[in-house]
Structure formats: structure tokens, C-alpha cells
Amino acid sequence: MSTRRLAADRLAALKEARNEGCNALVRLMGRVDVGGSNHGVILGFLSVLSLWQLRGVSRAFRRWSTAQLSSLPRIVCVGGLVLDRSVVPPAWKSTISVEALDLSTLRWSGAGCLPALPDPRAGHSMSVAVDGSVVLCSGLNYGAADPMRHLLKTALRWSSGGNEWASLPDLPEKRQLPACVSLP
């Protein structure tokens, strides 16, 4: 038998052994064996920390774990206070920025998934609806000459895939530091 054929047989045997191991784990977890490769099922039950630890096991686990981490919902930071070091003494000010955490690299970057806020805001509240839309309530332009107190009564909505925030009807009263939740 040729060396190439032996290598192909060995690779096929390794893949089958890996799949059998995954199938056994899936059965232990009380899940139905879906046949073929169940590593995706197993990866779905692991925490972010476990997925990061798995990345060091082998190249295959690194690929699977990275793909699983990339498929998780994004963590996004919208607005808030940033320290302005361009003034003396440094001062806190509101921002319009939006950053997202890439769980596969654990690095923050310009979100790209949500547009920047139309006005600088801090002290606002946000919630995410089941359809993926985001609602932002209240906030103000803290640290600026004009704190834009009218923002305390406003609400904005971003729809998944949209390029900008849309205004919602104003809140009945101005609110500082409100709680915002999404109900089913």
C-alpha cells in the first residue's frame, strides 16, 4: 500500500474516532445522536472560557472553538462616559461611540453592527428585543457646556440591519438612569 493511502486511512480512522467520542459525549448529555459529526452539539454547551481553553488542544479544536465563539451573540458597548485627556485637568464626557467585543479574539473594535449614536449620551438604558432590535431610553450629554437635557425624555430604536437610530415617541417624563427591559 502506498504511503499516501496509509495516511488517508489513518486520517479517516482519526476522524471516525473523534466522531465516536463526540457521539458518546452527546449521548451522556442526554441528547440524541444526530449521526456524523456531533462536535458542534458539544461546542454549543461549552462556556466562552471553556471554548478558549479548547483552542489550545489542537488545530481542529481551535477552528471549531473559534467558529463557535464567532457565532455567539455580540457584546456591544453603546455610548457612556469616556475620560477626555485633551483638557487639563482631564474630564469625563459623553460619547456617541459603539464598540463590539469579538469573542474569538477578545478584542474591542468599532462595532460595525450598530451605527454611532446621533447625540452623545451617558446615563441611558438599553434593551434588546427578541427580533434583535435595540431600544435606548433617556441619557444626557454629561460634561458638555450644553448637557442636552431634552435627551432625558427621548427614546431611540435601532432595527437589525439598519444604518441609523430611529426616534421613538418621547417618554411621558424626563428620566435619569432608567431601567429598560425587554418583555416577551
Side-chain angles (χ1 to χ4, degrees):
M1 216 184 239
S2 74
T3 306
R4 184 175 279 165
R5 179 71 183 145
L6 285 172
D9 289 344
R10 184 169 177 246
L11 181 61
L14 286 172
K15 284 183 177 180
E16 184 60 33
R18 182 199 69 218
N19 285 341
E20 281 306 310
C22 288
N23 291 342
L25 279 172
V26 168
R27 284 190 296 274
L28 277 173
M29 293 186 311
R31 302 289 182 209
V32 176
D33 181 353
V34 294
S37 176
N38 280 322
H39 60 269
V41 174
I42 293 167
L43 290 175
F45 285 96
L46 298 176
S47 68
V48 171
L49 179 60
S50 297
L51 288 168
W52 262 89
Q53 291 171 336
L54 257 177
R55 289 169 54 117
V57 173
S58 69
R59 285 187 305 197
F61 280 150
R62 181 173 182 82
R63 273 194 317 274
W64 299 331
S65 297
T66 300
Q68 185 68 23
L69 287 164
S70 296
S71 72
L72 294 173
R74 294 184 185 169
I75 297 171
V76 180
C77 180
V78 178
L81 293 175
V82 294
L83 188 59
D84 183 0
R85 296 179 194 271
S86 67
V87 296
V88 178
W92 291 98
K93 68 174 190 172
S94 299
T95 183
I96 62 170
S97 69
V98 177
E99 288 90 21
L101 178 62
D102 181 346
L103 292 173
S104 66
T105 62
L106 289 182
R107 289 195 169 83
W108 290 94
S109 63
C113 56
L114 263 87
L117 293 171
D119 301 299
R121 288 185 191 240
H124 57 278
S125 180
M126 290 182 50
S127 68
V128 178
V130 175
D131 67 356
S133 63
V134 177
V135 174
L136 180 144
C137 295
S138 189
L140 58 97
N141 189 7
Y142 181 84
D146 177 12
M148 303 170 81
R149 294 201 179 277
H150 69 279
L151 294 177
L152 291 170
K153 201 173 181 174
T154 62
L156 300 173
R157 180 173 191 247
W158 173 80
S159 296
S160 186
N163 293 331
E164 59 186 32
W165 292 86
S167 293
L168 291 173
D170 282 350
L171 299 167
E173 298 178 56
K174 291 182 179 180
R175 297 173 190 222
Q176 279 191 304
L177 304 171
C180 188
V181 297
S182 179
L183 299 174

